[in-house]
Amino acid sequence: MSFVTVENVRKTFEDVVALDRLSVSVEKGELFGFIGPDGAGKSTLFRILATVMVPDEGKATVMNYDTVHDYRQIRQVIGYMPGHFSLYTDLSVEENLQFFARIYGTNIEEYYDWIKDIYEQIAPFKDRLVGDLSGGMKQKLALSCALIHKPAFLLLDEPTFGVDAVSRREFWEVLKRLKSEGLTIIVSTPYMDEASLCDRIALMQEGQLLAVDQPEIITAQFENILYAVAGSPRYRTLQQVRSWDETLRAYPFGERLHLVTKNPVDTGQLKQRLESSGISEVTIESVAPTIEDEFIALMGGYHGK
């Protein structure tokens, strides 16, 4: 039996289908990621797993506890960080930690080793009001509060959203350490680059799963040839690439464009065309696909498809 199971779960809000008969399972000790844009249904699923929302159809279990009927038992073993910051901004860092510890009938000292790595980073600010903390420090405090009772299962809804790059990296280092100690972790994120940090991932779009597997296996399913194209101005480069051959599929990707094709492209001819149209600093190179490229492919979101 899997540690977490979701079976044909459906959830609607008036005319909006947030989860469309979704089924997935997570094994004990996994670091499992749900990857997808806003509106994919990640937060709705997490609220159901955290027992703060009831599905319209289907069922979900955590450690064999039903999220509807056994919610009290689940709340004792889960550490939950919702997508919106939910700590008390008019209390200090220390006061928030003490408050959540008392809720679970424990104290900061009992499981100090469990939160030591994070607490030492926020300890210098323990008397500061939470509302005055930076985004990164707020998230570290929220994680400490979620871990204060040494849960068996950690549920983190977009924990690094809006956080600077350094804090994001530090946060994921903490998650890797927790996983190494046997904690089962489910995390959601809109950042495709964080997918590779998970054992397995589920790509979500509009309440449905597009793929579930190890990140490298999902990436290996990319079936086409991929080029990275750069040129200035960038938008005109995109227009020219798309008009050169209607069978090509091109889309912005960071500071460059990604060009997808079933057959190899004459890059010299394409470069000449771009330069002759007044585009400068043109470079074209073959590149390996990323999770984001496969996600776009699964959505059928290529230009010209």
Side-chain angles (χ1 to χ4, degrees):
M1 188 71 176
S2 298
F3 193 86
V4 174
T5 62
V6 178
E7 300 176 0
N8 295 314
V9 166
R10 178 179 172 85
K11 184 66 180 180
T12 61
F13 299 96
E14 296 182 351
D15 296 331
V16 177
V17 179
L19 296 174
D20 190 6
R21 304 191 186 283
L22 187 143
S23 295
V24 67
S25 62
V26 178
E27 303 304 320
K28 180 177 174 58
E30 268 196 307
L31 174 48
F32 191 101
F34 285 89
I35 317 295
D38 290 345
K42 304 185 302 296
S43 293
T44 300
L45 174 61
F46 277 41
R47 288 170 186 148
I48 289 172
L49 292 177
T51 75
V52 296
M53 186 177 287
V54 176
D56 298 335
E57 300 176 31
K59 66 177 293 186
T61 62
V62 176
M63 299 175 64
N64 293 331
Y65 293 124
D66 185 277
T67 56
V68 176
H69 303 293
D70 306 319
Y71 65 91
R72 290 187 178 89
Q73 292 91 326
I74 291 176
R75 290 177 184 179
Q76 291 302 311
V77 299
I78 193 173
Y80 175 46
M81 277 181 62
H84 59 279
F85 187 70
S86 59
L87 302 186
Y88 295 96
T89 57
D90 55 346
L91 296 180
S92 70
V93 168
E94 189 83 1
E95 288 169 337
N96 269 277
L97 283 168
Q98 291 174 347
F99 173 78
F100 281 92
R102 283 197 294 269
I103 287 178
Y104 290 102
T106 184
N107 54 61
I108 298 173
E109 292 75 21
E110 184 173 0
Y111 298 120
Y112 180 71
D113 288 345
W114 199 241
I115 65 169
K116 179 180 177 181
D117 291 352
I118 319 165
Y119 184 76
E120 288 180 348
Q121 297 178 47
I122 60 178
F125 311 98
K126 65 179 183 179
D127 296 323
R128 184 176 297 184
L129 292 181
V130 169
D132 296 331
L133 295 176
S134 67
M137 283 297 174
K138 285 180 178 177
Q139 293 304 79
K140 289 172 184 175
L141 175 60
L143 180 58
S144 295
C145 291
L147 291 168
I148 200 72
H149 59 301
K150 196 176 181 179
F153 169 50
L154 198 56
L155 190 64
L156 311 175
D157 191 3
E158 298 193 352
T160 59
F161 182 74
V163 175
D164 64 90
V166 173
S167 294
R168 281 176 61 192
R169 184 174 64 250
E170 292 175 347
F171 198 95
W172 277 93
E173 288 173 354
V174 171
L175 295 189
K176 285 193 292 184
R177 192 265 298 172
L178 292 169
K179 178 192 175 301
S180 70
E181 296 183 11
L183 187 63
T184 303
I185 304 171
I186 298 182
V187 60
S188 72
T189 177
Y191 300 125
M192 297 290 171
D193 62 313
E194 293 183 345
S196 62
L197 303 174
C198 302
D199 297 322
R200 285 194 304 143
I201 58 172
L203 301 182
M204 288 189 68
Q205 174 71 4
E206 296 181 347
Q208 297 181 330
L209 296 180
L210 303 180
V212 180
D213 216 320
Q214 298 172 23
E216 60 272 19
I217 292 178
I218 289 178
T219 303
Q221 294 172 355
F222 193 81
E223 298 177 342
N224 297 297
I225 301 171
L226 184 67
Y227 297 91
V229 181
S232 181
R234 182 167 171 263
Y235 181 67
R236 188 175 173 190
T237 303
L238 178 61
Q239 289 179 310
Q240 288 295 319
V241 169
R242 286 177 170 176
S243 64
W244 183 51
D245 185 339
E246 64 180 14
T247 65
L248 300 179
R249 302 162 182 169
Y251 50 88
F253 194 96
E255 295 181 352
R256 301 190 288 181
L257 311 175
H258 272 191
L259 173 63
V260 181
T261 177
K262 291 184 177 180
N263 301 305
V265 167
D266 185 334
T267 56
Q269 184 180 355
L270 176 57
K271 182 177 181 181
Q272 183 178 13
R273 174 187 171 88
L274 294 174
E275 291 176 338
S276 65
S277 66
I279 296 171
S280 61
E281 303 175 8
V282 177
T283 63
I284 305 172
E285 61 178 334
S286 178
V287 293
T290 67
I291 286 291
E292 187 169 353
D293 292 305
E294 178 61 13
F295 186 81
I296 293 172
L298 290 168
M299 288 194 303
Y302 291 128
H303 174 76
K305 184 167 183 178

